[in-house]
Amino acid sequence: MRTDVQQGPEIWIRGPVAVPEGHSFAGTRRYSWVGTHGGAGVSTLSTVYGGHDCGRDWPGPDAPRSVLLVGRTHASGLASLLATLEMFRRGQAPPELYLDGVVLVADAPGRLPKPLDRDVRLLESIIDVYRVPWVPAWRLGDFGGAPPKETAVLARLTATP
């Protein structure tokens, strides 16, 4: 063995660290849903995907610190999302919060008009965006069944079965 080679920290020599008995580092991150405007869909999302419904308020002291901002895909909804993202960028949001992404809830069935699609692409260049399609059953208050297949990534993120 060469003695002129500097050895790394002990952890590299020992290998992986064992998890103490009765403990687990694997777990589900809990989220606070924060609406950036009225009618964004926060209550529906928290019902379907779990997590804490903050309405339009910042999470309280007992709520999860990981935040998913929610807005509709209409022009004012996207503008509200951008304004709230700007608050985070300027450090005007509570400092103990972690912004995990943006959830866009379809405001109508079908494709977005080009100007709105451009705004969504702008958002996607800034932060992780999760899209939720128009779900007619939710409009009628039927939240049973599996989340829409288009939201598989969001379902995995929130650990929704």
Side-chain angles (χ1 to χ4, degrees):
M1 180 171 146
R2 290 179 52 184
T3 57
D4 61 332
V5 176
Q6 195 172 22
Q7 293 185 349
E10 182 182 346
I11 192 167
W12 296 113
I13 296 169
R14 284 191 351 231
V17 177
V19 176
E21 190 174 320
H23 290 80
S24 171
F25 293 117
T28 304
R29 177 182 255 168
R30 293 184 55 234
Y31 291 93
S32 287
W33 303 93
V34 175
T36 60
H37 58 87
V42 169
S43 296
T44 297
L45 293 173
S46 67
T47 298
V48 173
Y49 298 94
H52 185 77
D53 179 347
C54 292
R56 292 183 62 198
D57 297 324
W58 294 119
D62 296 332
R65 305 286 86 195
S66 293
V67 171
L68 291 169
L69 295 178
V70 182
R72 293 281 178 172
T73 55
H74 48 58
S76 60
L78 295 173
S80 294
L81 276 164
L82 284 169
T84 307
L85 285 173
E86 183 65 12
M87 288 179 70
F88 269 94
R89 189 186 74 76
R90 291 178 181 240
Q92 297 168 335
E96 70 277 2
L97 297 181
Y98 176 75
L99 180 57
D100 229 318
V102 166
V103 179
L104 295 177
V105 180
D107 67 312
R111 298 175 67 107
L112 287 175
K114 283 185 183 183
L116 298 178
D117 189 55
R118 262 193 311 273
D119 290 346
V120 169
R121 283 187 276 128
L122 170 64
L123 278 169
E124 289 172 334
S125 72
I126 297 170
I127 191 165
D128 289 335
V129 173
Y130 306 95
R131 294 189 192 201
V132 177
W134 181 260
V135 181
W138 292 357
R139 194 172 192 203
L140 299 171
D142 178 7
F143 305 112
K149 66 179 189 291
E150 299 91 341
T151 66
V153 174
L154 180 60
R156 277 194 305 275
L157 178 73
T158 58
T160 304

